[in-house]
Amino acid sequence: MKREREILKNIFGYDEFRTLQMEIITSILNKKDALVVMPTGGGKSLCYQLPALIFNGLTVVVSPLISLMKDQVDQMTQLGVDAILLNSSISRPEYYENINQIREGKVKLLYVAPETLLKNDILEFLESVNVECFAIDEAHCISEWGHDFRPEYRKIAHVRKRFPGAVCIALTATATARVRSDIRKNLELNESNDFVASFNRGNLFYKIIPKDNPLEQTLEFLKQFKNESGIIYCFSRDGVDRLYLNLKKQRYSVRPYHAGLSDEERQENQDLFLRDEVQIMVATIAFGMGIHKTNVRYVIHFDLPKSIEAYYQETGRAGRDGVDSTCLLLYSYSDIHKIRYFIDQKSDAEEKKAAMAQLNALVDYADTSGCRRIPLITYFGEEYNEVYCGMCDNCVSPEEHIDDITIPAQMFLSCVKRSGERFGAGHIIDILRGSKSKKINDFNHQTLSTYGIGKKYSKDIWMKLVRQFVKQKLILNDTENAGVLKLTEKAYNVMKGAESVTGSIHEDKKRNFSNSGTKEYDSELFEILREKRRELAASGNVPPYVIFSDKTLFEIASLYPQSHESLLKIHGIGAYKIEKYGDILLSIIIEYCSSHGIGKNSELPKMKMYLKTPRHIEIGELYNSGISISEIAQKEEIQPRTIIDHLFRYIQDGGSIRKDLLVPLIPSDEKYLSSIIEAFKRVGTEKLKPVFEELNGTVEYDTINICRLYYLSRE
Ligand code: ADP
Ligand code: ZN
């Protein structure tokens, strides 16, 4: 592996292999076929690019999109690797020039479109040179079950047979088992050579907020992403146009993208975005396939996506370079109704059912009060064992409302019962809220004793309650039968008053936008470097991220390397890039450092930089420095209850917190206090509810919560 490591550092400029890369590369070098399934940004390309540099002969990369091929060839060229492409977009002289280069053995990597590869003269030509490896990129195109089936891809299987000495590596980011087995079957790959990476994208921060004033919420969000690239997805073309105009009016650097624009307009807008000349792309889902821009710092879903898969794909376009990026979803019940309406229009019952199940999974994801990664990752059939990721809104600021919702539950359940367990949530809510709709009239429901008893709560609150009732198994939601609600055993206990229900009855609070934490880099230097990069990119006619990734610039702007040796330690800088750009970079950095009084040895230790400090750690440190909970609450404008939650997580993460500042907050009656602490000793500190029950509901949650902290704190 010594040689491989050397190439990794010298050519690609990376210190370590990512998960599975080394195993895959070894397999390819041993001429064992491989199927590689990795999420976007996982580092698939390296798995064939690196072996290509070791093989004596040629590596042929089949890729479905011309823009991707060009991107990769640019990237390889920037690393000093001989790579070329053959497809219908290049001129005749260039085509022959490229063929000549291959013949002379000057090329390591050849990128071809499938239809070009299938041409007989090309195949004969390739047979005359030493092809060592076929890399089939976007291999899901082989499968009719994939989202992008391409018939030409099917024929690649025959091509393989003509090159018995060449190893085959197929790569995709599509996780479904069906697509995987299709690829395997078609290319005659052995199952034992599957390499499937985790689909968890650790650098993406997931955040969901209730959509009440989407434009204002978007503008607020954008404030913290000045100068950074992002995509905003809207449901319709119309929506795209409106938001685009609004953002333009606010002087944002923005362009629209949807199928209603001309090809030229779309191409132009996309190019501007790729080249960092336009910051924001407002788009329908037509935008994104094959966009390899690595420095997309955020993706906003202005409207609800149609499934978890779609959401995962679309948010996945953020943070390919591994730098932290944010995914914001504006979530509203009316969007759910809108999508439900579209699903209802479908005539095929099977299709309807599948679409409804997908939507419901997305709603569960949005409604979860736990870590967002749990529903997201397990949806793809992967186990996810962490309880706390520190990179989603729920983990960073848990808003644990614990209210007694027994009374609204009783209202709702008895209304379901009285109307005969024949209706969906919408109608039940209409009865409770005393609606005068025709349906109510038709069924004579204005005469029910539950008619109008729930006016106090808005429709949205009721919907929120209903989802909690479903989750707590008080009612069953029969999605196949138009969402008719049925009561469970537990529901009868609640109606009788034998069981109480707890949950949240509050309107979702507006959440603070900032992810918290600071990026530890010098933003002034970063901007200077970014400007330089743009210049270099323009003169080389390539996208900026091909020259240096954002991550490279972040590292420079926090480590201040002032010599060739220290520059070589930077992520993404290898021998070739040093030669080409080293002096330009050094002159900028040295000048910057001397004018800012930054010494030669000012390098920060190389730690997990620019990963924002999780909120609970910040709060924990703040508290331990001697600032009381109420002072922090005031300063940070958050609820004391939230701070207590943060401190608890801080302890869960292995931290310890000081006892003294808690003393004024706990019950002064010692006997009372020790009865609570004894309860924790009996049932554990993991959850509050068991303790609440252990104490027969005599102590309030807030008190239990602070006592837990006290119990776990240290002198
Ligand atoms: P994919 O094709 O799986 O979406 P890429 O191959 O484009 O992902 O890689 C995503 C990013 O990660 C690229 O910027 C790439 O240079 C970078 N990368 C790949 N392997 C490594 C590694 N071992 N260390 C650091 N960065 C890497
Ligand atoms: Zn989380």
Side-chain angles (χ1 to χ4, degrees), residues 655-683:
S656 54
I657 64 161
R658 54 197 283 177
K659 219 175 197 76
D660 55 344
L661 297 177
L662 293 173
V663 174
L665 303 173
I666 51 166
S668 51
D669 181 341
E670 281 203 20
K671 247 173 98 183
Y672 186 57
L673 176 65
S674 72
S675 72
I676 300 171
I677 299 221
E678 286 307 312
F680 276 115
K681 285 186 184 157
R682 287 194 297 275
V683 300

Side-chain angles (χ1 to χ4, degrees), residues 310-361:
Y311 173 77
Y312 179 84
Q313 284 279 344
E314 286 145 24
T315 51
R317 294 181 182 130
R320 274 174 180 268
D321 50 11
V323 176
D324 284 2
S325 306
T326 306
C327 309
L328 174 72
L329 167 64
L330 300 177
Y331 176 55
S332 80
Y333 296 117
S334 70
D335 279 355
I336 301 175
H337 297 318
K338 213 186 308 178
I339 296 185
R340 209 160 262 162
Y341 174 80
F342 278 106
I343 295 174
D344 270 335
Q345 308 297 303
K346 291 183 195 282
S347 50
D348 185 319
E350 278 295 300
E351 206 184 315
K352 212 176 196 168
K353 198 169 135 190
M356 206 55 105
Q358 285 181 332
L359 177 63
N360 287 341

Side-chain angles (χ1 to χ4, degrees), residues 206 370-374 384 386-396 649:
Y206 298 106
C371 176
R372 302 237 178 253
R373 286 186 156 72
I374 298 171
Y384 186 74
E386 306 286 320
V387 235
Y388 171 69
C389 75
M391 281 290 282
C392 77
D393 49 2
N394 286 339
C395 283
V396 166
R649 287 189 191 277

Side-chain angles (χ1 to χ4, degrees), residues 353-457:
K353 198 169 135 190
M356 206 55 105
Q358 285 181 332
L359 177 63
N360 287 341
L362 183 72
V363 170
D364 280 348
Y365 167 75
D367 277 336
T368 185
S369 54
C371 176
R372 302 237 178 253
R373 286 186 156 72
I374 298 171
L376 192 60
I377 306 300
T378 52
Y379 182 80
F380 295 103
E382 187 179 325
E383 263 183 55
Y384 186 74
N385 297 320
E386 306 286 320
V387 235
Y388 171 69
C389 75
M391 281 290 282
C392 77
D393 49 2
N394 286 339
C395 283
V396 166
S397 108
E399 303 265 344
E400 207 183 319
H401 305 286
I402 309 161
D403 306 311
D404 188 328
I405 53 170
T406 312
I407 294 193
Q410 286 171 333
M411 286 182 191
F412 190 87
L413 299 172
S414 51
C415 192
V416 172
K417 176 145 177 57
R418 277 163 212 278
S419 53
E421 298 182 59
R422 287 159 53 211
F423 299 93
H427 185 68
I428 303 290
I429 293 171
D430 278 352
I431 303 176
L432 288 165
R433 301 194 70 246
S435 149
K436 301 205 161 42
S437 77
K438 182 170 176 304
K439 196 168 168 189
I440 298 258
N441 209 26
D442 289 350
F443 287 97
N444 218 11
H445 280 159
Q446 71 279 16
T447 60
L448 292 179
S449 61
T450 49
Y451 182 76
I453 61 170
K455 280 193 182 137
K456 185 168 147 199
Y457 305 119

Side-chain angles (χ1 to χ4, degrees), residues 108-133:
K108 283 285 168 199
L109 279 151
L110 164 66
Y111 288 83
V112 286
E115 57 280 3
T116 310
L117 176 69
L118 294 168
K119 283 188 187 141
N120 218 5
D121 53 336
I122 291 287
L123 282 173
E124 273 167 21
F125 166 65
L126 287 177
E127 274 173 331
S128 74
V129 299
N130 176 18
V131 177
E132 300 230 44
C133 174

Side-chain angles (χ1 to χ4, degrees), residues 171 180 293 373 479 597:
L171 310 103
R180 237 184 269 166
K293 184 175 167 67
R373 286 186 156 72
T479 34

Side-chain angles (χ1 to χ4, degrees), residues 69-112:
M69 276 188 238
K70 196 167 164 328
D71 221 60
Q72 292 238 340
V73 169
D74 285 344
Q75 231 147 31
M76 287 296 101
T77 312
Q78 286 294 325
L79 296 175
V81 174
D82 298 306
I84 56 164
L85 56 80
L86 286 180
N87 61 34
S88 52
S89 78
I90 61 175
S91 67
R92 220 147 234 286
E94 196 182 345
Y95 189 92
Y96 288 115
E97 166 65 23
N98 285 354
I99 293 274
N100 259 335
Q101 293 212 348
I102 301 171
R103 187 174 289 128
E104 288 165 22
K106 284 187 185 154
V107 175
K108 283 285 168 199
L109 279 151
L110 164 66
Y111 288 83
V112 286

